[in-house]
Amino acid sequence: MPDTATADSPATRTGFLSRVHDWLPSEIGRRLTVTAWLSFLAEVIIIGTGGAVRLTGSGLGCSQWPLCTPESLVPTPEQGIHGIIEFGNRTMTGVVGLLALAVVFFVLRFRARRRDLWVLSLVVLGGIVMQAVVGGITVWTGLNPFIVGFHYVSSLLLVCITAAFLVRLYAVPGPREKAVPAWFAIISHVTGLALAVTIVFGVLTTGSGPHSGDAEVLRHGFDATVLAHVHSWPGYILAGLVAVLTISAWALRLEPRRWLLVLVAAILVQVGVGVWQAREGLPEILVGIHMVLAALSAATYTVVVLHLKRPASPRS
């Protein structure tokens, strides 16, 4: 997720990947860049496939973990489409894990020089391993709604971390300095808190609604209608804060202004889908889109925060 290059930037002079190739051999730089992007996309896709599991009632399509049945790793014909959907999501976990492992492999040689990328790559790989364990606990607990919600939030965090990896991959290595006034940074972090609260209440709202992942699974007992209204309150605060940041950033020509426009667009679409799904009685496809958009909004916010600083100016 590189920022837009300026007319005199290295990216403009020597190509889209130049800032990566400044510190990496070109061939490894290309492979790492492609793999990192695929890792990010895979983390987004697995939220979609995980949502499909829940929204189609396939949460217990595979009744066991790590096997699909007590006797079989793969779904049997008796499990039907639900087994295929659940097993497809498990397979996607393997894809995500292999991509994360490949990123770790490419960064390994340069871990001393780019400790930031090394640490982020290990966090992603470790997070995926933990996600697989949480997925097993989800099955073992019969789709406990709190475990399911935690599973989604942790997936969303992995999307944010892979987005952060991309930002740092394109960034100039070395010390960084503030690129925005202190008040702007404070409002940006308060905005992050509003986003987090909005997402948490969104997860609780979904956990109280009709999409439990299986027809026999009971919800956690909260009033979904009340939670839907509570979920909207921090959402309105979030929209207002993002509007203030965007207007201020463009008025002062601050570093994160372009990514704030992306965040505005993501939130507007997210709000539109949220209102639409509520009015239509929570159709599965709209709920799934809403889940993916929440992850993309959080990833975009992560990029905004990482642009609150810039490479430190050389000192004479």
Side-chain angles (χ1 to χ4, degrees):
M1 287 191 172
D3 202 355
T4 303
T6 59
D8 58 350
S9 69
T12 301
R13 293 196 305 268
T14 58
F16 184 63
L17 301 179
S18 63
R19 281 181 290 179
V20 177
H21 293 175
D22 282 345
W23 61 273
L24 269 178
S26 60
E27 187 60 32
I28 295 178
R30 281 191 290 269
R31 291 175 182 174
L32 174 58
T33 304
V34 171
T35 306
W37 273 103
L38 289 175
S39 179
F40 168 75
L41 293 173
E43 292 290 355
V44 175
I45 290 170
I46 201 170
I47 285 183
T49 60
V53 170
R54 181 171 189 169
L55 297 169
T56 59
S58 305
L60 296 177
C62 285
S63 59
Q64 304 294 317
W65 188 90
L67 299 178
C68 191
T69 72
E71 297 82 22
S72 175
L73 175 64
V74 299
T76 61
E78 292 75 20
Q79 292 169 296
I81 188 64
H82 293 310
I84 294 173
I85 293 173
E86 164 65 6
F87 186 75
N89 185 57
R90 294 187 183 189
T91 302
M92 191 64 203
T93 301
V95 173
V96 167
L98 288 174
L99 287 170
L101 190 61
V103 171
V104 170
F105 174 77
F106 286 129
V107 177
L108 178 62
R109 286 174 52 192
F110 308 95
R111 62 188 183 279
R113 186 173 181 183
R114 292 304 305 266
R115 184 173 176 79
D116 54 342
L117 296 181
W118 174 243
V119 171
L120 286 171
S121 67
L122 291 179
V123 169
V124 171
L125 184 60
I128 291 168
V129 173
M130 292 304 299
Q131 272 290 74
V133 175
V134 173
I137 295 172
T138 302
V139 174
W140 295 335
T141 59
L143 305 185
N144 179 288
F146 292 105
I147 302 298
V148 172
F150 176 79
H151 197 42
Y152 169 75
V153 170
S154 52
S155 295
L156 182 148
L157 289 175
L158 285 173
V159 172
C160 293
I161 297 169
T162 52
F165 184 94
L166 286 168
V167 174
R168 295 300 301 150
L169 177 63
Y170 285 94
V172 176
R176 300 176 67 76
E177 62 185 13
K178 291 181 180 179
V180 300
W183 62 265
F184 188 93
I186 292 171
I187 295 176
S188 297
H189 292 302
V190 172
T191 300
L193 177 61
L195 176 61
V197 173
T198 302
I199 290 172
V200 168
F201 276 106
V203 170
L204 291 174
T205 302
T206 303
S208 303
H211 305 299
S212 64
D214 187 89
E216 303 301 322
V217 173
L218 298 176
R219 315 311 291 138
H220 49 40
F222 298 134
D223 189 320
T225 303
V226 172
L227 277 177
H229 289 292
V230 175
H231 170 50
S232 68
W233 299 339
Y236 295 141
I237 296 172
L238 171 65
L241 289 170
V242 171
V244 169
L245 288 173
T246 304
I247 294 170
S248 301
W250 280 92
L252 300 174
R253 299 193 64 77
L254 299 178
E255 187 79 15
R257 61 188 183 276
R258 293 182 179 87
W259 280 106
L260 278 166
L261 284 181
V262 178
L263 183 58
V264 167
I267 290 174
L268 286 176
V269 175
Q270 180 75 325
V271 169
V273 172
V275 172
W276 187 11
Q277 70 173 5
R279 290 181 176 177
E280 295 297 324
L282 302 179
E284 288 83 356
I285 184 65
L286 292 181
V287 175
I289 292 172
H290 200 55
M291 292 170 63
V292 174
L293 284 173
L296 292 176
S297 297
T300 306
Y301 171 76
T302 302
V303 178
V304 169
V305 169
L306 290 175
H307 280 83
L308 297 178
K309 290 187 176 183
R310 63 189 168 210
S313 303
R315 302 189 184 278
S316 56

